Amino acid sequence: MTSTIVHSLVHIDGSFCEGGGQILRNAVALSALLSKPISIPNARHNRRPPGLRKQHEAGINLAATICSAETEGVHLASTSVTFKPGKIELPKTLTADPGTAGSTTLLLQVSLPCLLFSSSPTSPSQLTLCGGTNASQAPQIDYTQHVFLPFMKRHFGVDIALKIMRRGYFPKGGGAVFCSVPSLTRALPPVTLTERGPVRLVRGEARVGGLPFILAERMKNAARATLLAGGVSPTAIRINAVRESQEEAFGSGGGILLLAETDNGCVIGGSSVSTKSKAPEEIGNEAAEELLRNLRHGGCVDGYLQDQIIIFIALAKGRSTVKTGPLTDHTRTAIKIAEQMTGATFHLEENPSGFVIISCDGIGYTPSL
């Protein structure tokens, strides 16, 4: 007689902490990897309006396709989702398109963990993500390209190729990003990152599409002035202004990303996205001020990267230790979901001066045959 292990539903409160889309993304990704069915009531409870938007629907459906999942409640405005994963068989060639300016980077967040592990060697999966590339309420695609993916390569040995085919700005979207995701047959190594080292360079790009080049110049100049006022050496600042061609961008918009590189290989970001209600100078100032805040606390990762690495250190084999700035609600949410889904244990050492040491004993995940 043979027996089959049947996992009971794991119930995850969608109103916990930040109560937004990150709960959906992290829980669904871990559900697919670990073959644990989940139910999420109160989905996006703390957002107005609550419930799924088109980008969440597209992201969950993308993960469902990767792992042949059965789903319930995956539709616009739904406040309750059930996700019952099947087997992940790689490689995959997939396209996801919410039909809106929904963030391509958030689509990558839900799908990447699902594509990262294989029980036997295989060629990379190919992923085309459509929608918004530079929007508020999500990391810009430039951040993913220049901060998150280099972190994955440096610390986990995962070399994910990303190409921006076309930028899509809010509210039209219309962007397209291509990713090639290799899969691993081994567990991820732990991360030890506690010494940032001095800043040696602040580089960046202020960019516009469908708008006059002078607006990018004004963003750049404002950011530079704020960095100088914040004590950054003028010889360390290298910011370019860029105007995209009509073929390179859909719609009109812009933004700025600043990156501080340190002697120890850390990359700290600061960014802002253009809106009609804000002058270019305000956008440049916001990005520079965010970067300066991220530098002051002495952490090795910034606020955006802080929450994105939680899934991966929970899955890694051994103890990871990362020094960061004050914890965001997104990070507290990510830790809660990771502990509930994986059984990894986290320890937080919050220092009165502002920095936090995140330690995690990961589970050493490898896919079953």
Side-chain angles (χ1 to χ4, degrees), residues 7 56 68 74-75 107 158 161 188-189 196 199 213 224 227 250 252 254 270 325 363:
H7 291 285
H56 308 106
S68 302
V74 184
H75 56 80
L107 290 174
V158 181
L188 295 173
R196 187 175 72 195
V199 174
F213 176 71
R224 179 181 174 83
L227 291 172
F250 186 82
S252 59
I363 64 171

Side-chain angles (χ1 to χ4, degrees), residues 69-361:
E70 298 177 12
T71 64
E72 296 175 17
V74 184
H75 56 80
L76 186 65
S78 171
T79 57
S80 181
V81 171
T82 301
F83 189 91
K84 298 178 180 179
K87 186 174 176 58
I88 296 177
E89 295 182 353
L90 301 179
K92 298 288 189 185
T93 299
L94 300 166
T95 298
D97 185 357
T100 66
S103 171
T104 52
T105 59
L106 297 185
L107 290 174
L108 183 61
Q109 279 185 21
V110 70
S111 56
L112 176 59
C114 308
L115 297 171
L116 209 51
F117 300 92
S118 178
S119 56
S120 59
T122 183
S123 56
S125 292
Q126 313 296 317
L127 196 57
T128 301
L129 306 173
C130 303
T133 59
N134 300 74
S136 57
Q137 310 303 315
Q140 296 186 63
I141 194 65
D142 311 84
Y143 181 92
T144 298
Q145 188 173 43
H146 296 295
V147 181
F148 174 71
L149 294 185
F151 183 96
M152 294 294 291
K153 183 177 181 179
R154 181 181 180 92
H155 296 284
F156 295 124
V158 181
D159 191 2
I160 300 156
L162 183 149
K163 183 178 181 182
I164 303 168
M165 311 295 288
R166 183 177 61 253
R167 289 180 184 270
Y169 289 107
F170 185 84
K172 292 185 177 181
V177 176
F178 174 78
C179 296
S180 178
V181 183
S183 55
L184 306 175
T185 55
R186 57 169 173 80
L188 295 173
V191 176
T192 300
L193 194 55
T194 57
E195 298 294 333
R196 187 175 72 195
V199 174
R200 62 179 182 84
L201 175 66
V202 176
R203 59 184 174 93
E205 280 189 344
R207 60 174 58 250
V208 293
L211 296 170
F213 176 71
I214 187 63
L215 300 182
E217 282 278 4
R218 288 166 60 186
M219 275 191 277
K220 179 190 84 168
N221 293 337
R224 179 181 174 83
T226 301
L227 291 172
L228 290 172
V232 179
S233 168
T235 59
I237 302 173
R238 299 175 192 170
I239 308 171
N240 297 322
V242 179
R243 184 181 188 274
E244 293 143 0
S245 68
Q246 196 169 1
E247 294 74 29
E248 293 172 319
F250 186 82
S252 59
I256 181 170
L257 174 70
L258 303 173
L259 305 169
E261 299 179 355
T262 78
D263 284 348
N264 286 353
C266 299
V267 181
I268 309 293
S271 64
S272 186
V273 177
S274 296
T275 65
K276 290 182 179 179
S277 62
K278 291 182 180 178
E281 288 77 12
E282 191 174 354
I283 302 300
N285 289 338
E286 283 181 353
E289 287 167 359
E290 182 176 85
L291 179 62
L292 292 170
R293 283 197 304 274
N294 280 327
L295 290 174
R296 285 187 198 110
H297 57 59
C300 300
V301 300
D302 58 45
Y304 275 130
L305 192 59
Q306 183 189 100
D307 71 86
Q308 291 183 60
I309 65 175
I310 295 300
I311 274 187
F312 302 103
I313 62 175
L315 295 170
K317 184 177 182 179
R319 169 161 286 203
S320 294
T321 306
V322 179
K323 183 179 181 182
T324 182
L327 291 189
T328 66
D329 281 348
H330 273 83
T331 300
R332 294 185 189 278
T333 300
I335 289 172
K336 172 74 172 180
I337 299 301
E339 288 183 328
Q340 185 175 357
M341 290 293 295
T342 69
T345 55
F346 284 80
H347 175 73
L348 304 175
E349 181 185 326
E350 303 191 48
N351 190 284
S353 64
F355 70 83
V356 180
I357 303 293
I358 302 175
S359 298
C360 174
D361 292 316

